[in-house]
Amino acid sequence: MARVEQVNQKRRGRRAAGEDTRAALVAAAREVFVEKGYDGATVRAIAAKAGVDAAMVNHWFGGKEGLFAQSVLQLPFDPAEVLKRLLDGPLEQAGERIIRTFVTVWDATGGGTFAALIRSVTSQPEVAGALKQFLVNAIFRNVLAQIGVEQRELRATLCATQMVGLGIVRYVVRFEPLASADVETVVKAIAPNLQRYLTGELG
Amino acid sequence: MARVEQVNQKRRGRRAAGEDTRAALVAAAREVFVEKGYDGATVRAIAAKAGVDAAMVNHWFGGKEGLFAQSVLQLPFDPAEVLKRLLDGPLEQAGERIIRTFVTVWDATGGGTFAALIRSVTSQPEVAGALKQFLVNAIFRNVLAQIGVEQRELRATLCATQMVGLGIVRYVVRFEPLASADVETVVKAIAPNLQRYLTGELG
DNA sequence: GTCTATACAACGATAGAC
DNA sequence: GTCTATCGTTGTATAGAC
């Protein structure tokens, strides 16, 4: 009896070799995220468009967040993992950890990836909107919850100014001597400023 | 004798109405600056391409610097004038003056102009190169000469990270609450960080 | 007649050739 | 080290618009 009912349903188990589920998800995600924004896009809708099961998003990308990072942003790392590392340690050294991680991660890609990201964000308003939702709901929310200070939203945007500016100057326009400075020089120079945005006095 | 030799020269005095010398210079400048860079482009070459005298650059734009600002960058203000205002006052308050002026000037344009500037810089490597030369040779050189501290080049690029980042977050991606914050809030929040880059301890 | 956009000459600075 | 070429800029006389 059970066998008969399966006739018109999808086959279970592994798909045939050559069907690239991962690539199909990335392609579908790019379209849906850009069209609906990060919040408006649902994992189920993306999976349906890709013709695969929604569980595949978790399997391949660790969740909606990871899929967004690798499809629209094309980040060369997993933001959830990086975030975990950043939040692990004393708050007074968070600025230092963030800058060191940021520079290390993007340096490893040669910087061209960051430039591409900025280009797509500045040229496509929809991507900028999706990125904003992503940052607010998937990143800032987690970070800010661990910071027991006032004006958390303002602090988050201030941190964003410093990180984005650092990325542009070091990777896109490549102003010297910052573009070629070693990681520790950058950390020493910038981390205290980021730390002030995180936990310092803003008034 | 002298009169005879003038026969094959251009007529002096005002040209016929309808010939827009200013626009001709802007058009020629855009091409030459982008092709040769800020340093490589000569006022004389631009003027020749526009079919006018080189002195017209000074008359209409106050110099090579102003012509670049209004042709390639399309800035809504005169950088030389703004620069003069920034350098006028105690060094300990320079960070505050710079942030206040920056926000005031770009707020007045609605921010779209800044976004357009970033877009052209990030999408055209030649523009980025020309901008770099312009900043180094026409802006930083003057500012840094007045700052009696060590590591001036590094400080200049650090300042650039903060200014560029502020512009992107406030005018391009418009993260709240920073995008809608009033000028004084922004000044109080960011000026101390810029001041550290200018005159503080970097180690 | 007045105003100003214009062309030309010349100056000080700078960089490269020899 | 000197000479030369070229740069950005400034001063000035003039032609045309108003």
Side-chain angles (χ1 to χ4, degrees), chain B residues 10 21 23 26 40 53 56 79 86 95 102-103 108 114 121 133 145 149 154 156 159 176 184 187 197:
Chain B
K10 281 199 172 178
T21 296
V26 167
D53 190 271
M56 292 298 95
L86 293 180
F102 183 90
V103 174
F114 187 89
V121 168
Q133 295 172 355
V149 289
L154 177 60
C159 289
E176 299 295 351
E184 287 311 307
V187 169
Y197 286 154

Side-chain angles (χ1 to χ4, degrees), chain B residues 128-172:
Chain B
L131 172 64
K132 193 186 305 186
Q133 295 172 355
F134 171 73
L135 286 176
V136 170
N137 294 326
I139 307 293
F140 287 165
R141 175 167 300 185
N142 296 329
V143 179
L144 295 177
Q146 305 226 357
I147 305 182
V149 289
E150 296 297 306
Q151 298 179 292
R152 297 193 289 203
E153 284 81 9
L154 177 60
R155 288 175 191 276
T157 55
L158 290 170
C159 289
T161 68
Q162 181 59 82
M163 306 304 294
V164 168
L166 168 58
I168 302 248
V169 169
R170 176 174 254 244
Y171 302 117
V172 182

Side-chain angles (χ1 to χ4, degrees), chain A:
Chain A
M1 296 282 281
R3 301 189 69 86
V4 175
E5 290 175 2
Q6 273 187 20
V7 167
N8 283 336
Q9 296 178 2
K10 282 199 174 178
R11 278 207 326 276
R12 274 201 278 195
R14 194 171 183 142
R15 296 168 82 193
E19 300 186 35
D20 195 340
T21 296
R22 212 190 123 94
L25 275 171
V26 167
R30 238 195 303 258
E31 290 181 37
V32 178
F33 275 130
V34 168
E35 186 184 349
K36 308 268 190 183
Y38 180 78
D39 294 342
T42 68
V43 170
R44 295 175 127 89
I46 293 170
K49 184 159 206 159
V52 303
D53 192 89
M56 290 300 98
V57 170
N58 267 294
H59 179 255
W60 285 107
F61 304 95
K64 180 181 185 179
E65 176 189 324
L67 178 56
F68 181 76
Q70 298 206 8
S71 62
V72 178
L73 304 184
Q74 301 185 276
L75 297 187
F77 52 86
D78 177 13
E81 193 180 325
V82 169
L83 198 58
K84 216 177 91 188
R85 247 173 62 205
L86 293 180
L87 295 175
D88 178 36
L91 188 57
E92 304 78 42
Q93 296 159 16
E96 196 178 319
R97 285 199 304 276
I98 292 174
I99 297 289
R100 182 174 289 115
T101 304
F102 183 90
V103 174
T104 304
V105 165
W106 289 109
D107 274 10
T109 72
T113 313
F114 187 89
L117 170 62
I118 291 295
R119 224 167 288 127
S120 74
V121 168
T122 53
S123 63
Q124 302 174 323
E126 313 84 27
V127 174
L131 172 65
K132 194 186 308 188
Q133 294 172 355
F134 171 73
L135 286 176
V136 170
N137 295 325
I139 307 292
F140 288 164
R141 174 167 302 182
N142 296 329
V143 179
L144 295 176
Q146 305 227 357
I147 306 182
V149 290
E150 296 298 307
Q151 299 180 292
R152 296 193 291 204
E153 285 80 9
L154 178 59
R155 288 176 190 275
T157 55
L158 290 170
C159 289
T161 68
Q162 181 60 83
M163 306 305 293
V164 167
L166 168 58
I168 302 243
V169 170
R170 176 173 251 244
Y171 303 116
V172 182
V173 293
R174 299 180 198 270
F175 283 175
E176 298 295 351
L178 187 64
S180 305
D182 61 88
V183 176
E184 287 312 307
T185 301
V186 177
V187 170
K188 279 182 189 153
I190 299 185
N193 280 20
L194 194 67
Q195 190 65 43
R196 173 172 173 271
Y197 286 154
L198 286 170
T199 59
E201 182 60 50
L202 296 184

Side-chain angles (χ1 to χ4, degrees), chain B residues 25-186:
Chain B
L25 275 172
V26 167
R30 244 196 298 258
E31 292 182 36
V32 178
F33 274 130
V34 168
E35 186 184 348
K36 308 268 191 181
Y38 182 78
D39 293 341
T42 70
V43 171
R44 294 174 133 93
I46 293 170
K49 184 161 206 159
V52 302
D53 190 271
M56 292 298 95
V57 170
N58 237 270
H59 182 253
W60 284 108
F61 303 95
K64 182 182 186 177
E65 177 189 323
L67 178 56
F68 182 76
Q70 298 207 9
S71 63
V72 178
L73 302 185
Q74 301 184 277
L75 296 186
F77 52 86
D78 176 14
E81 194 179 326
V82 169
L83 198 57
K84 215 177 94 187
R85 246 173 61 206
L86 293 180
L87 295 176
D88 179 35
L91 188 57
E92 305 78 43
Q93 296 161 16
E96 195 178 319
R97 285 200 304 276
I98 292 175
I99 297 289
R100 183 175 288 115
T101 304
F102 183 90
V103 174
T104 305
V105 164
W106 288 110
D107 274 11
T109 71
T113 313
F114 187 89
L117 170 62
I118 292 293
R119 222 167 291 127
S120 72
V121 168
T122 53
S123 63
Q124 301 174 322
E126 315 84 29
V127 174
L131 172 64
K132 193 186 305 186
Q133 295 172 355
F134 171 73
L135 286 176
V136 170
N137 294 326
I139 307 293
F140 287 165
R141 175 167 300 185
N142 296 329
V143 179
L144 295 177
Q146 305 226 357
I147 305 182
V149 289
E150 296 297 306
Q151 298 179 292
R152 297 193 289 203
E153 284 81 9
L154 177 60
R155 288 175 191 276
T157 55
L158 290 170
C159 289
T161 68
Q162 181 59 82
M163 306 304 294
V164 168
L166 168 58
I168 302 248
V169 169
R170 176 174 254 244
Y171 302 117
V172 182
V173 294
R174 298 179 199 270
F175 284 174
E176 299 295 351
L178 187 64
S180 305
D182 61 87
V183 176
E184 287 311 307
T185 301
V186 177

